[in-house]
Amino acid sequence: MGSSSKAGNKGGRKMKKEKEISDQTLTLRRRLHEALSLGIRQIENKGRRWRCTDAEIQSHSLRAISAFIKCMPSVPLQHSLIKESVPDMLLALGGILQSENESILCLAVDLTMELVCSLGKSICQYHVLDILMSLSCLLPTYKVSVVVSCATALNRILTNLGAMSYQYSEEVCEVIVKTNLVRSVICVMQGYGDGSQPVEYFSETACLLKTIIWRWPSFRYHVWSNSKLMDVLQGISARNDTLNTRRVLQLCSALALCGNGARKILENEELVSKIVGCTGTSHLDSVRLEALKLCQHLTRSAEVSSLLTDSYSEQIVQGIIGALGGWRSCSKIVPTDQIPLVMEAFRAALITRWAGNHHFFFWSNEIDRALLDNLIGNCSRSDQTRGMVLCDELIAKVYDNITNTRPFIWDILGWLAAYCEEDFVPKTTGKLCCLDVLIFCACAVAKDLMLKRRSSFSPDISEAEPVARAVLMLVTSPSRYIALKSKSWLFEMARPYGNDGLESFLLFLKLIAGGDVPLVSDNLQTAINLIGFACYSALPDFQKTIVKKKGLQMISDIIERCLKSDIHVSRSTIVSHLRSIPEEKTCCWNHVGDWEGGDVILFYCLQALSQLISFSMLECNQHEITSEEVVVSDADGLVEKLQFILHSNSSQGPKRYAAYILSFFGSFGTQSKLGQKMERALNENELADLQFVLSNGQSLRVHSVILWARCPDLLPKETSLKDEQESEQNPRTRQEVRMSDRVDYYSLIKILEYTYTGFLRLEEDHLKPLKILANCCRLKSLSLMLHRKLPTWGSSSPSCDFTKALEPTESSCFDIILEAEGSGGAWDCSICQLSRPHVHAHKIILWANCNYLQALFRSGMHESYSQIIKVPVGWIALTKLVNYFYSGKLLRIETDCTWKNMDKNQQLLQLQAYVELSSLAEFWLLEEVGDESLDIIFSCLEADQKISADIIHYAAKLSQWKIVEVGVSSIAHLYPKMRHAGDLEKLSEEVVEMLRTEYVRYSQKGS
Ligand SMILES: [Zn+2]
Ligand SMILES: [Zn+2]
């Protein structure tokens, strides 16, 4: 009994504890030790191993293990008795699990499961790789009981490993890969269907799969890309078996951590309808909880969220509202047992952050009442509601709510307000208008926390940001009703403090603007102060004071500091309630960010500035901002900074606000590279096929394809543009269009400028006629800017994009064909008879985008009249090129799960297209395409060296030496290996020599 005496020396207290172990336990431990020593051997280089295939000894050991496991509950898991016995038991079980004797095997599996279950979280202290390996190998077995115990044990081990080091996690992952565990689990799950197996057969394996894909993203692809399995999931969810329905929901939740997985789930209509149905009140709370969780995972980005809400808004909203307010029938406040469900419903209700028709259903299902009831208790049951006018009482009731739901309530209220229509009016029910009370509470709590904030650092700071932000969203709401109500209450509450309240914010701004305080010393405080300041900026009675006290200039200075510093602050890093899933657990989710984006400090500055800039006493010009002839801020720098934001990688929110503020300086829209190219087309006459004639005789030549893509209402109604194709020869017939006498030449030019380039500059005097014309042409994006409407929450800035013209429709007036290299097999075109791969396009777009083609069209050479241009690239490259011409963006490769699991040849085809584009860019003079292509290729080579050799080979063939060089340096260290494997044979001598030289350099550097 060396172990107990060793531990006994450590101290009196511990010794006492160890003595409490009963004699019977000690006996069992001794027997265990003796039994296991019959099979465990010290193997050279491998440490201790179980080496015994004798069935007698194996059974004997299992009996000893079984007896010991039974007494384990009476001993603390950290006791040395346990800690020293477990490794041997794991060793023995791991070995015996490889037995071919069925009865021994079954017993061993069950005992492993029992042992693992009784160890719980403490399993992470032991070496489990071997037992994981043995269990994983057993899973594809035929016996139901073995599968269930195996899956349970594996799941327990993997769940309880806790936070692993990167290396350990990789080692476990390797075991899973080596034993093909994921494939075995999927096979087992697919086999569950004929109804002969017990419920646990599916539930335990599904649970195991969920655990694996939660932790290791790389396995998700194999699950969601297996459509047979997805159908099985759908079938099981349709059976109304509570346990397995929950398992399906949990598994889908884990799958949805992968953006592609989420899309795949949403493609399966029957499955989605089941999932959504599970949020309904007819299901058990435990099922609803999982369904609501899954809904959160499926709505992580605006784009994917819309796939769900387009068809299921009403049901989801009803599910959420049902869970938010189900308790009201029996209680005044949320009962404790309902809190988990209510919390999940609140998380799911964060879907209000995206635009969509679910907003309509939230209102029609009385979300305002549900929010208020959760905030201050069931209103309809409470008689105190009549006395709501007493502010203090109301606030006290708000603070009585201790469910941690308040930050959610404020966020949801803010988003609801932000997405309201201009003429929105709440449904008033009875004497009590829930929305009014909510707005009132938000303003009051915001004021309260702001004042506290000044006196001391209160613990309520986590609520201060959400509530203040909600108030800012209320006062800037498009709904006149909400904006007016919240502004008047906010003003009422701010008035007693006079300018003192404002003063504290100004003081803070001054410190930041002057650089006396580091920009990011306390992001939360900075954000709260800026929101507070923005709220004051929205109140007309304070605007004058703010302007006088140089508030504009200070905000402008802070914006400059934000842009100069490279520090970004997203909202989820400063408020805690939004962090539900750690970012690193997800994969393949693009564009997840909020509308306000990764730099909220900048965003709140822009919000404040946009409130101030619309103040009627201000006059803006390119150089200064004046109020009553006093310069209150210089403008040169500000305009430059706003332009910078427009062209930066910022999110849409900051960009939209920057564009809004710039409209006060006469700039409307965004200047883009494509827009600048298209500006040349404005004055191009040769290819123009329409001529606008004004009533005073002035005329303008335009290109119908551009109008078709960007402003179709300017096109003459009855023209059939198809006719033009028939008159194939140049010069084209140019159709004349007479304009109404109300259209003036200048406004028409400006409209065309915006249509061609997505941008225009305008003096204030010309605003009015242009507004009218923009309305007539239904150019909504321009019209909103001209009317200087605050940007709608969630909207994206209008971009200069002509891809709409590529859709083959009645009015698409294609006048040129681009033909790719290669035969491409049987080719079928809906427009023409050509049997080779080709794209139909428009000369004017090519003319504007590419100097080479421009020269070709002008040259008068035979090719300039040809209807077909042969482009020396393959089909994939050609489609990418054409898309670039029309959208201004070269499509990139997303190195996501799909890409990583793609067949190597498919990957190669994609990458080769960029090599071809890089080559084409050289003699078609497409600098941007060349640079982008290189960038894309390099980033892929860096991520995956397997295809480097093939890309190098291809690039060398096309004389793309830059690619060859980078490729060579990325795989130089593999040179000896490649030579050995014969991989060098396909490369030319020149390239092999480069590789060799680079390898020499590499190894010298290494030594
Ligand atoms: Zn993924
Ligand atoms: Zn065709």
Side-chain angles (χ1 to χ4, degrees), residues 61 67 93 95 99 105 190 194 208 254 463 472 476 516 600 616 652 684 707-708 711 746 770 833 848 896 903 962 990:
S61 299
L93 288 169
S99 160
L105 187 65
Q190 281 178 350
D194 56 11
L208 171 61
E463 188 176 356
L472 180 58
T476 57
D516 298 329
V600 284
S616 57
Q652 288 297 337
E684 198 281 342
L707 300 189
W708 161 244
C711 181
Y746 187 76
L770 195 62
Q833 308 292 323
D896 59 4
D903 174 59
K962 253 192 201 166
E990 192 182 2

mmCIF file of all heavy atoms in Angstrom, residues 61 67 93 95 99 105 190 194 208 254 463 472 476 516 600 616 652 684 707-708 711 746 770 833 848 896 903 962 990:
data_model
loop_
_atom_site.group_PDB
_atom_site.id
_atom_site.type_symbol
_atom_site.label_atom_id
_atom_site.label_comp_id
_atom_site.label_asym_id
_atom_site.label_seq_id
_atom_site.Cartn_x
_atom_site.Cartn_y
_atom_site.Cartn_z
ATOM 1 N N SER A 61 -9.917 -9.788 -14.571
ATOM 2 C CA SER A 61 -9.620 -8.358 -14.441
ATOM 3 C C SER A 61 -10.895 -7.531 -14.524
ATOM 4 O O SER A 61 -11.085 -6.585 -13.748
ATOM 5 C CB SER A 61 -8.673 -7.913 -15.549
ATOM 6 O OG SER A 61 -7.468 -8.622 -15.462
ATOM 7 N N ALA A 67 -15.985 -4.488 -9.620
ATOM 8 C CA ALA A 67 -16.158 -4.363 -8.167
ATOM 9 C C ALA A 67 -15.608 -3.025 -7.671
ATOM 10 O O ALA A 67 -16.209 -2.355 -6.826
ATOM 11 C CB ALA A 67 -15.443 -5.517 -7.470
ATOM 12 N N LEU A 93 -8.708 -1.767 -19.791
ATOM 13 C CA LEU A 93 -9.922 -1.721 -20.615
ATOM 14 C C LEU A 93 -9.573 -1.478 -22.078
ATOM 15 O O LEU A 93 -10.107 -2.122 -22.978
ATOM 16 C CB LEU A 93 -10.874 -0.644 -20.093
ATOM 17 C CG LEU A 93 -11.569 -0.990 -18.768
ATOM 18 C CD1 LEU A 93 -12.268 0.237 -18.197
ATOM 19 C CD2 LEU A 93 -12.565 -2.129 -18.964
ATOM 20 N N GLY A 95 -7.001 -2.316 -23.627
ATOM 21 C CA GLY A 95 -6.481 -3.545 -24.214
ATOM 22 C C GLY A 95 -7.571 -4.581 -24.427
ATOM 23 O O GLY A 95 -7.689 -5.184 -25.491
ATOM 24 N N SER A 99 -10.459 -7.295 -27.692
ATOM 25 C CA SER A 99 -10.724 -8.727 -27.646
ATOM 26 C C SER A 99 -11.746 -9.153 -28.705
ATOM 27 O O SER A 99 -12.595 -8.362 -29.125
ATOM 28 C CB SER A 99 -11.260 -9.088 -26.252
ATOM 29 O OG SER A 99 -11.927 -10.318 -26.305
ATOM 30 N N LEU A 105 -16.018 -8.648 -24.574
ATOM 31 C CA LEU A 105 -16.050 -7.338 -25.206
ATOM 32 C C LEU A 105 -17.224 -6.505 -24.689
ATOM 33 O O LEU A 105 -17.069 -5.344 -24.288
ATOM 34 C CB LEU A 105 -16.166 -7.529 -26.724
ATOM 35 C CG LEU A 105 -16.055 -6.261 -27.550
ATOM 36 C CD1 LEU A 105 -14.661 -5.675 -27.391
ATOM 37 C CD2 LEU A 105 -16.330 -6.567 -29.013
ATOM 38 N N GLN A 190 -27.468 6.577 -39.940
ATOM 39 C CA GLN A 190 -28.251 6.303 -41.146
ATOM 40 C C GLN A 190 -29.007 4.984 -41.011
ATOM 41 O O GLN A 190 -30.075 4.820 -41.574
ATOM 42 C CB GLN A 190 -27.335 6.236 -42.360
ATOM 43 C CG GLN A 190 -26.944 7.606 -42.860
ATOM 44 C CD GLN A 190 -26.004 7.520 -44.041
ATOM 45 O OE1 GLN A 190 -25.511 6.461 -44.376
ATOM 46 N NE2 GLN A 190 -25.750 8.645 -44.665
ATOM 47 N N ASP A 194 -35.401 1.625 -39.255
ATOM 48 C CA ASP A 194 -36.432 0.603 -39.386
ATOM 49 C C ASP A 194 -37.206 0.387 -38.094
ATOM 50 O O ASP A 194 -38.110 -0.440 -38.022
ATOM 51 C CB ASP A 194 -35.809 -0.724 -39.870
ATOM 52 C CG ASP A 194 -34.686 -1.187 -38.956
ATOM 53 O OD1 ASP A 194 -34.557 -0.606 -37.869
ATOM 54 O OD2 ASP A 194 -33.944 -2.115 -39.329
ATOM 55 N N LEU A 208 -22.977 12.186 -29.645
ATOM 56 C CA LEU A 208 -21.537 12.075 -29.869
ATOM 57 C C LEU A 208 -21.114 12.921 -31.069
ATOM 58 O O LEU A 208 -20.135 13.680 -31.014
ATOM 59 C CB LEU A 208 -21.173 10.602 -30.097
ATOM 60 C CG LEU A 208 -19.745 10.317 -30.568
ATOM 61 C CD1 LEU A 208 -18.731 10.809 -29.551
ATOM 62 C CD2 LEU A 208 -19.549 8.825 -30.821
ATOM 63 N N ALA A 254 -25.175 22.572 -33.756
ATOM 64 C CA ALA A 254 -23.728 22.454 -33.908
ATOM 65 C C ALA A 254 -23.333 22.582 -35.378
ATOM 66 O O ALA A 254 -22.327 23.197 -35.708
ATOM 67 C CB ALA A 254 -23.254 21.118 -33.344
ATOM 68 N N GLU A 463 -25.405 47.740 -18.205
ATOM 69 C CA GLU A 463 -26.708 48.071 -18.766
ATOM 70 C C GLU A 463 -26.690 49.454 -19.416
ATOM 71 O O GLU A 463 -27.522 49.762 -20.273
ATOM 72 C CB GLU A 463 -27.772 48.031 -17.663
ATOM 73 C CG GLU A 463 -29.177 48.178 -18.207
ATOM 74 C CD GLU A 463 -30.241 48.051 -17.126
ATOM 75 O OE1 GLU A 463 -29.860 47.781 -15.965
ATOM 76 O OE2 GLU A 463 -31.426 48.219 -17.446
ATOM 77 N N LEU A 472 -30.800 56.314 -28.210
ATOM 78 C CA LEU A 472 -30.305 56.959 -29.424
ATOM 79 C C LEU A 472 -31.045 56.427 -30.661
ATOM 80 O O LEU A 472 -31.394 57.181 -31.571
ATOM 81 C CB LEU A 472 -28.792 56.724 -29.570
ATOM 82 C CG LEU A 472 -28.145 57.336 -30.804
ATOM 83 C CD1 LEU A 472 -28.364 58.839 -30.867
ATOM 84 C CD2 LEU A 472 -26.648 57.029 -30.837
ATOM 85 N N THR A 476 -33.559 58.636 -33.155
ATOM 86 C CA THR A 476 -33.247 58.725 -34.581
ATOM 87 C C THR A 476 -34.131 57.794 -35.408
ATOM 88 O O THR A 476 -33.876 57.564 -36.580
ATOM 89 C CB THR A 476 -31.777 58.358 -34.848
ATOM 90 O OG1 THR A 476 -31.548 57.043 -34.345
ATOM 91 C CG2 THR A 476 -30.811 59.312 -34.200
ATOM 92 N N ASP A 516 -5.688 63.936 -24.836
ATOM 93 C CA ASP A 516 -5.261 63.836 -23.431
ATOM 94 C C ASP A 516 -5.599 62.472 -22.846
ATOM 95 O O ASP A 516 -4.981 62.020 -21.899
ATOM 96 C CB ASP A 516 -5.945 64.920 -22.586
ATOM 97 C CG ASP A 516 -5.546 66.299 -23.062
ATOM 98 O OD1 ASP A 516 -4.404 66.421 -23.555
ATOM 99 O OD2 ASP A 516 -6.363 67.229 -22.980
ATOM 100 N N VAL A 600 -17.296 50.760 -33.389
ATOM 101 C CA VAL A 600 -18.480 51.461 -32.913
ATOM 102 C C VAL A 600 -18.168 52.884 -32.477
ATOM 103 O O VAL A 600 -19.030 53.758 -32.553
ATOM 104 C CB VAL A 600 -19.185 50.701 -31.770
ATOM 105 C CG1 VAL A 600 -19.946 49.525 -32.319
ATOM 106 C CG2 VAL A 600 -18.205 50.256 -30.715
ATOM 107 N N SER A 616 -30.481 73.447 -38.573
ATOM 108 C CA SER A 616 -30.838 74.412 -39.618
ATOM 109 C C SER A 616 -29.948 75.666 -39.636
ATOM 110 O O SER A 616 -29.860 76.329 -40.654
ATOM 111 C CB SER A 616 -32.293 74.822 -39.429
ATOM 112 O OG SER A 616 -32.446 75.336 -38.126
ATOM 113 N N GLN A 652 -21.232 48.707 -43.563
ATOM 114 C CA GLN A 652 -22.169 49.570 -44.270
ATOM 115 C C GLN A 652 -22.652 50.729 -43.394
ATOM 116 O O GLN A 652 -22.845 51.826 -43.905
ATOM 117 C CB GLN A 652 -23.354 48.740 -44.765
ATOM 118 C CG GLN A 652 -23.013 47.820 -45.916
ATOM 119 C CD GLN A 652 -22.574 48.581 -47.160
ATOM 120 O OE1 GLN A 652 -22.909 49.750 -47.340
ATOM 121 N NE2 GLN A 652 -21.802 47.931 -48.005
ATOM 122 N N GLU A 684 -19.098 59.125 -74.657
ATOM 123 C CA GLU A 684 -18.804 58.299 -75.809
ATOM 124 C C GLU A 684 -20.009 58.377 -76.759
ATOM 125 O O GLU A 684 -21.146 58.190 -76.336
ATOM 126 C CB GLU A 684 -18.570 56.848 -75.329
ATOM 127 C CG GLU A 684 -17.855 55.981 -76.313
ATOM 128 C CD GLU A 684 -18.770 55.471 -77.412
ATOM 129 O OE1 GLU A 684 -20.007 55.502 -77.252
ATOM 130 O OE2 GLU A 684 -18.230 55.049 -78.435
ATOM 131 N N LEU A 707 -28.622 52.428 -69.017
ATOM 132 C CA LEU A 707 -29.895 52.852 -68.424
ATOM 133 C C LEU A 707 -30.693 51.625 -67.964
ATOM 134 O O LEU A 707 -31.296 51.629 -66.893
ATOM 135 C CB LEU A 707 -30.718 53.647 -69.435
ATOM 136 C CG LEU A 707 -30.084 54.932 -69.980
ATOM 137 C CD1 LEU A 707 -31.092 55.712 -70.777
ATOM 138 C CD2 LEU A 707 -29.548 55.795 -68.843
ATOM 139 N N TRP A 708 -30.667 50.585 -68.779
ATOM 140 C CA TRP A 708 -31.407 49.363 -68.446
ATOM 141 C C TRP A 708 -30.937 48.791 -67.119
ATOM 142 O O TRP A 708 -31.725 48.352 -66.284
ATOM 143 C CB TRP A 708 -31.252 48.350 -69.575
ATOM 144 C CG TRP A 708 -31.575 46.933 -69.195
ATOM 145 C CD1 TRP A 708 -30.724 45.887 -69.173
ATOM 146 C CD2 TRP A 708 -32.838 46.421 -68.783
ATOM 147 N NE1 TRP A 708 -31.352 44.749 -68.766
ATOM 148 C CE2 TRP A 708 -32.666 45.042 -68.508
ATOM 149 C CE3 TRP A 708 -34.099 46.986 -68.598
ATOM 150 C CZ2 TRP A 708 -33.700 44.234 -68.082
ATOM 151 C CZ3 TRP A 708 -35.140 46.165 -68.149
ATOM 152 C CH2 TRP A 708 -34.938 44.808 -67.908
ATOM 153 N N CYS A 711 -31.132 52.582 -64.438
ATOM 154 C CA CYS A 711 -32.260 53.514 -64.341
ATOM 155 C C CYS A 711 -33.249 53.231 -65.467
ATOM 156 O O CYS A 711 -33.436 54.032 -66.384
ATOM 157 C CB CYS A 711 -31.731 54.953 -64.422
ATOM 158 S SG CYS A 711 -32.995 56.209 -64.278
ATOM 159 N N TYR A 746 -29.568 70.471 -67.545
ATOM 160 C CA TYR A 746 -28.605 70.259 -66.469
ATOM 161 C C TYR A 746 -28.999 69.085 -65.573
ATOM 162 O O TYR A 746 -28.179 68.217 -65.250
ATOM 163 C CB TYR A 746 -28.467 71.539 -65.635
ATOM 164 C CG TYR A 746 -27.370 71.461 -64.610
ATOM 165 C CD1 TYR A 746 -26.033 71.580 -64.989
ATOM 166 C CD2 TYR A 746 -27.664 71.251 -63.259
ATOM 167 C CE1 TYR A 746 -25.017 71.490 -64.058
ATOM 168 C CE2 TYR A 746 -26.655 71.154 -62.326
ATOM 169 C CZ TYR A 746 -25.333 71.274 -62.725
ATOM 170 O OH TYR A 746 -24.326 71.187 -61.800
ATOM 171 N N LEU A 770 -33.598 68.537 -59.487
ATOM 172 C CA LEU A 770 -33.050 67.184 -59.572
ATOM 173 C C LEU A 770 -33.862 66.206 -58.718
ATOM 174 O O LEU A 770 -34.095 65.064 -59.094
ATOM 175 C CB LEU A 770 -31.586 67.175 -59.136
ATOM 176 C CG LEU A 770 -30.836 65.905 -59.537
ATOM 177 C CD1 LEU A 770 -30.806 65.755 -61.041
ATOM 178 C CD2 LEU A 770 -29.433 65.893 -58.982
ATOM 179 N N GLN A 833 -26.629 30.216 -81.608
ATOM 180 C CA GLN A 833 -26.375 28.835 -82.003
ATOM 181 C C GLN A 833 -24.935 28.391 -81.747
ATOM 182 O O GLN A 833 -24.600 27.235 -81.954
ATOM 183 C CB GLN A 833 -26.649 28.672 -83.509
ATOM 184 C CG GLN A 833 -27.996 29.178 -83.958
ATOM 185 C CD GLN A 833 -29.113 28.328 -83.404
ATOM 186 O OE1 GLN A 833 -28.978 27.107 -83.305
ATOM 187 N NE2 GLN A 833 -30.210 28.964 -83.007
ATOM 188 N N ALA A 848 -15.315 50.752 -71.868
ATOM 189 C CA ALA A 848 -14.977 51.594 -70.722
ATOM 190 C C ALA A 848 -13.981 50.906 -69.786
ATOM 191 O O ALA A 848 -13.154 51.551 -69.152
ATOM 192 C CB ALA A 848 -16.241 51.948 -69.949
ATOM 193 N N ASP A 896 -13.085 28.157 -47.497
ATOM 194 C CA ASP A 896 -13.922 27.645 -46.408
ATOM 195 C C ASP A 896 -13.976 26.118 -46.446
ATOM 196 O O ASP A 896 -13.213 25.474 -47.151
ATOM 197 C CB ASP A 896 -15.331 28.253 -46.513
ATOM 198 C CG ASP A 896 -15.990 27.929 -47.846
ATOM 199 O OD1 ASP A 896 -15.379 27.176 -48.636
ATOM 200 O OD2 ASP A 896 -17.097 28.421 -48.099
ATOM 201 N N ASP A 903 -12.338 18.415 -54.367
ATOM 202 C CA ASP A 903 -11.430 17.558 -55.106
ATOM 203 C C ASP A 903 -10.238 18.400 -55.594
ATOM 204 O O ASP A 903 -10.409 19.536 -56.039
ATOM 205 C CB ASP A 903 -12.244 17.001 -56.279
ATOM 206 C CG ASP A 903 -11.381 16.216 -57.212
ATOM 207 O OD1 ASP A 903 -10.793 15.247 -56.743
ATOM 208 O OD2 ASP A 903 -11.295 16.597 -58.396
ATOM 209 N N LYS A 962 6.192 35.597 -61.790
ATOM 210 C CA LYS A 962 5.954 36.059 -60.416
ATOM 211 C C LYS A 962 5.311 34.935 -59.599
ATOM 212 O O LYS A 962 5.666 34.700 -58.447
ATOM 213 C CB LYS A 962 5.001 37.260 -60.435
ATOM 214 C CG LYS A 962 5.682 38.565 -60.148
ATOM 215 C CD LYS A 962 4.623 39.610 -59.892
ATOM 216 C CE LYS A 962 5.204 41.003 -60.107
ATOM 217 N NZ LYS A 962 4.157 42.017 -60.189
ATOM 218 N N GLU A 990 14.124 24.390 -65.893
ATOM 219 C CA GLU A 990 14.327 25.740 -65.352
ATOM 220 C C GLU A 990 13.696 25.873 -63.967
ATOM 221 O O GLU A 990 14.304 26.384 -63.034
ATOM 222 C CB GLU A 990 13.708 26.747 -66.321
ATOM 223 C CG GLU A 990 14.088 28.180 -66.026
ATOM 224 C CD GLU A 990 13.414 29.139 -66.997
ATOM 225 O OE1 GLU A 990 12.627 28.675 -67.861
ATOM 226 O OE2 GLU A 990 13.671 30.343 -66.878
#
